[in-house]
Amino acid sequence: MAALPRMMELPELDALVRRALVRAGMAEAHAGHVARGIVACERDGARSHGLLRLPGFVHSLQIGWADGRAEPVCTCETESQLRFDARNGFAQVVLAQARARLVEKARRNGVATLLSGNSHHFAALWPDIEDFAAEGLVAFACVNSKKRMAAWGGGRPVLGTNAMAFAAPRPDGPPLVWDQSSSVLSQGDVLLAAKEGREVAPGIGCDAQGRPTTSPEAILGGGALLPFAGPKGASLAVMVEVLAAALTGGPFGFEDRSPAGGATTSLGGQFLLVVDPGVGGSDFAGRMQALTAALLEAGAERMPGDRRYAARRRALAEGVALDVGPLEMLITLAGG
Amino acid sequence: MAALPRMMELPELDALVRRALVRAGMAEAHAGHVARGIVACERDGARSHGLLRLPGFVHSLQIGWADGRAEPVCTCETESQLRFDARNGFAQVVLAQARARLVEKARRNGVATLLSGNSHHFAALWPDIEDFAAEGLVAFACVNSKKRMAAWGGGRPVLGTNAMAFAAPRPDGPPLVWDQSSSVLSQGDVLLAAKEGREVAPGIGCDAQGRPTTSPEAILGGGALLPFAGPKGASLAVMVEVLAAALTGGPFGFEDRSPAGGATTSLGGQFLLVVDPGVGGSDFAGRMQALTAALLEAGAERMPGDRRYAARRRALAEGVALDVGPLEMLITLAGG
């Protein structure tokens, strides 16, 4: 009989994740920022980016691939832009340092951008931006990641499954927030199919010769994931490489030098745009309400984020249910 | 025997398009800005957005749906943002007025945005941003348009086929530029299929009951186009409604009040972001060169824009070939 899942309150989960990161070499102050994203995903039922990612963070720290003690440096500041070199540390640490100044700039000028280079990101992107929307701001973010995806008819991996995320406030509900990768299917889902001996659907990947395949092993073994909507998804992923890597000075997806074997965090960059609708604008809240109402009226099943918010309400009241596997992993990494 | 196409030099084409717009009621100074985009598309072989659109512009002006004499008003200016009310005129006119100030702001602060509300757009988006890249800047633009597309599982039209475009400079070639709608297929292509009695592929649209259909008549007659990549394309199209309409004060796609019958321009808004890579950054040109080389090395067939640039070289040398139909339409609209 399989052991039953254990319910865990969020503060306890947060403390354990922090402890695991600190044990792996991360500075106390930084661990809080990274743990926050992992716990937020677990809380919101977005498990693919929750505890499942913790071993990757820990491994990257332990082997010295990522620097958990690096202090980000602000290399350039203007009225509306902040540039940071994360110095091989984490994007979340940069954001925590830059956040207040970024908001201040957006409030004053209507728009502000944060360019973060040489930063690791291995988490969901929405936790980075949801809070801006909760303060009435509109936010867009993107990160590039290690190469796994082909582009524009090519058959070899060259781009990351580069994620984009967007958040906007709603007066009558939690923020409208979406977060999506540039590939049809995530690497994680292909790994899962391989583990379970399943084929994947056509259009998801190609083999090492660039030929279409439904074999997860062929995709993972020298093949590539494919962008969603063919050239359109590739265009977006290339834009992310330009904004998050070319502009920030972080490595491109194809410049990945991560050690083989074992999941590691992606070293790249992050681009973040914040807009204050109140600077020169009027009734943004009313406009967002009208947009949401129209989408639902036209048959949209839900707003993006709604499923996460429902899971969040449950988790805040009852904690999260951890299966034995993740629980044991967490306790082991946290040092018992 | 069909009459042969006539070759026309670009300055003559430009003069005729301007004359047609002025005859329909557009101010001389504005006509130049709008004609520029139409001629650029014809020159680059992007005919779906070239002369084919001229009757729609003319019709919208003639019936008073769009105001070809409206002077845009700058309603707010900060260190890094410009807000304009186009007052029912054209987005291209706003851009022409705002452009120099926008570039100056981006050069000083690293980033600048232009929010244009109550503006008509009926042209390709790439002509609005390619020139920024030619000056070494990175640019992103989006426009919303009248509702034609369903979203997030809904079966009724609520969003425009909202376009996004991106441009970045390349040191070793013309700018990398893409421009794409949020739908799988454009309304124009569905119209063409209907005209030719063809079915469209599955996944392109739904009928008035929200059911999948391959009938172009069903899609056009109360049905809806579908976003590319399902929820991911819808997410992007919703982001465009927020950036281009909610932020600017322009109407949403679902607030379309355009008169029925006859192609008309879309009244909405435009969001434009310009980034100067030189502010605090280094070797952006070298990075773009590396990105392009890696994409080609991984098998990409071409960079986006390359086909247009090839057509452009031919058109600059030889002019463009106009079939009898478009030629007669142009001459008629220009007053002979």
Side-chain angles (χ1 to χ4, degrees):
Chain A
M1 197 182 74
L4 291 172
R6 190 196 129 184
M7 293 306 289
M8 186 180 283
E9 299 283 327
L10 296 173
E12 184 184 354
L13 177 61
D14 187 66
L16 285 168
V17 172
R18 290 163 85 124
R19 214 200 296 166
L21 293 169
V22 170
R23 268 192 93 223
M26 192 173 268
E28 287 270 0
H30 297 185
H33 305 310
V34 173
R36 195 179 147 274
I38 296 173
V39 172
C41 284
E42 206 62 35
R43 175 198 69 196
D44 283 14
R47 301 227 153 149
S48 61
H49 287 74
L51 281 182
L52 204 63
R53 300 273 164 141
L54 184 60
F57 278 104
V58 166
H59 179 67
S60 298
L61 290 163
Q62 284 174 336
I63 63 173
W65 166 241
D67 185 348
R69 315 195 78 82
E71 287 301 328
V73 176
C74 180
T75 59
C76 182
E77 176 167 4
T78 72
E79 262 298 308
S80 47
Q81 187 162 281
L82 287 166
R83 272 182 182 272
F84 273 82
D85 180 348
R87 298 172 66 222
N88 203 33
F90 288 85
Q92 291 86 350
V93 177
V94 173
L95 180 56
Q97 281 209 10
R99 199 178 185 291
R101 269 191 285 172
L102 194 66
V103 169
E104 191 191 306
K105 289 175 192 301
R107 295 245 181 255
R108 193 164 53 232
N109 298 306
V111 61
T113 45
L114 170 63
L115 307 184
S116 168
N118 296 315
S119 51
H120 289 260
H121 209 291
F122 192 54
L125 202 47
W126 62 261
D128 295 357
I129 59 168
E130 188 189 299
D131 287 354
F132 290 106
E135 289 185 55
L137 303 166
V138 173
F140 167 86
C142 57
V143 281
N144 72 321
S145 53
K146 63 180 83 170
K147 69 172 177 184
R148 287 201 176 112
M149 202 171 77
W152 290 329
R156 291 184 290 283
V158 60
L159 305 172
T161 55
N162 299 348
M164 299 168 57
F166 180 73
R170 289 168 55 195
D172 51 349
L176 184 158
V177 181
W178 58 254
D179 176 357
Q180 59 197 30
S181 70
S182 305
S183 54
V184 180
L185 205 67
S186 74
Q187 169 102 340
D189 286 328
V190 178
L191 277 165
L192 200 64
K195 204 171 150 186
E196 296 174 356
R198 287 185 287 110
E199 303 266 286
V200 295
I204 282 166
C206 61
D207 65 16
Q209 281 72 47
R211 295 170 306 205
T213 182
T214 57
S215 154
E217 289 82 7
I219 295 170
L220 298 167
L225 293 168
L226 293 175
F228 66 72
K232 292 189 177 185
S235 294
L236 291 161
V238 167
M239 177 176 82
V240 174
E241 295 285 349
V242 174
L243 296 177
L247 276 180
T248 69
F252 289 118
F254 58 85
E255 292 171 334
D256 174 48
R257 300 280 179 275
S258 61
T264 55
T265 55
S266 275
L267 176 62
Q270 179 169 22
F271 174 89
L272 208 152
L273 170 79
V274 180
V275 178
D276 182 351
V279 176
S282 64
D283 193 28
F284 184 74
R287 301 291 289 152
M288 285 303 299
Q289 195 164 358
L291 176 59
T292 311
L295 285 161
L296 294 172
E297 213 274 317
E301 286 146 11
R302 69 182 80 85
M303 289 299 102
D306 277 0
R307 262 195 289 211
R308 286 196 295 96
Y309 295 127
R312 184 181 304 182
R313 282 190 293 275
R314 285 192 302 274
L316 288 170
E318 307 161 16
V320 292
L322 295 186
D323 283 331
V324 174
L327 184 63
E328 284 180 351
M329 173 270 285
L330 175 61
I331 290 172
T332 305
L333 293 180
Chain B
M1 196 181 74
L4 291 172
R6 191 197 129 184
M7 294 305 290
M8 186 180 284
E9 299 282 328
L10 295 174
E12 184 184 354
L13 178 61
D14 187 66
L16 284 167
V17 172
R18 290 163 84 123
R19 214 199 296 165
L21 293 169
V22 170
R23 269 192 92 224
M26 192 173 269
E28 286 271 0
H30 297 185
H33 305 310
V34 173
R36 195 179 146 273
I38 296 172
V39 173
C41 284
E42 206 62 36
R43 174 198 69 195
D44 283 14
R47 301 227 154 149
S48 60
H49 287 75
L51 281 182
L52 204 63
R53 300 272 164 142
L54 184 59
F57 278 104
V58 166
H59 179 66
S60 298
L61 290 163
Q62 284 173 336
I63 63 174
W65 166 241
D67 184 348
R69 315 195 78 82
E71 286 301 329
V73 176
C74 180
T75 59
C76 182
E77 176 167 5
T78 72
E79 262 298 308
S80 47
Q81 187 162 282
L82 288 166
R83 271 182 182 273
F84 272 82
D85 180 349
R87 298 173 66 222
N88 204 33
F90 288 86
Q92 292 86 351
V93 177
V94 173
L95 180 56
Q97 281 209 11
R99 198 179 185 291
R101 269 190 286 171
L102 195 65
V103 169
E104 191 191 306
K105 288 175 192 300
R107 295 247 182 254
R108 193 165 53 233
N109 298 307
V111 60
T113 45
L114 170 63
L115 307 184
S116 168
N118 295 315
S119 51
H120 289 261
H121 208 290
F122 192 55
L125 202 46
W126 62 261
D128 295 357
I129 59 168
E130 187 189 299
D131 287 354
F132 290 106
E135 289 186 55
L137 303 166
V138 173
F140 167 86
C142 57
V143 280
N144 72 321
S145 53
K146 63 180 82 169
K147 68 172 177 184
R148 286 202 176 112
M149 202 171 77
W152 290 328
R156 292 185 290 284
V158 60
L159 305 172
T161 55
N162 299 348
M164 299 168 56
F166 180 73
R170 289 169 53 196
D172 51 348
L176 183 158
V177 181
W178 58 254
D179 176 356
Q180 58 198 30
S181 70
S182 305
S183 54
V184 181
L185 205 67
S186 74
Q187 168 102 340
D189 286 328
V190 178
L191 277 164
L192 200 64
K195 204 170 150 187
E196 295 174 357
R198 287 186 285 111
E199 302 266 287
V200 296
I204 282 166
C206 61
D207 66 16
Q209 281 72 46
R211 295 170 306 205
T213 182
T214 56
S215 154
E217 289 82 6
I219 295 170
L220 299 167
L225 293 168
L226 292 175
F228 66 72
K232 293 189 178 187
S235 295
L236 291 161
V238 167
M239 177 176 82
V240 174
E241 295 284 349
V242 174
L243 296 177
L247 276 180
T248 69
F252 289 118
F254 58 86
E255 292 171 334
D256 173 47
R257 300 281 178 276
S258 62
T264 54
T265 55
S266 275
L267 176 62
Q270 178 168 23
F271 174 89
L272 208 152
L273 170 79
V274 180
V275 178
D276 182 350
V279 176
S282 65
D283 193 28
F284 184 75
R287 302 290 290 153
M288 285 303 299
Q289 195 164 358
L291 176 59
T292 312
L295 285 161
L296 294 172
E297 213 274 317
E301 285 147 11
R302 68 182 81 84
M303 289 299 103
D306 277 0
R307 262 196 289 212
R308 286 197 295 96
Y309 295 127
R312 184 181 305 182
R313 282 190 292 275
R314 285 193 301 276
L316 288 170
E318 306 161 16
V320 291
L322 296 186
D323 283 331
V324 174
L327 184 63
E328 285 180 351
M329 173 271 284
L330 175 61
I331 290 172
T332 305
L333 293 180

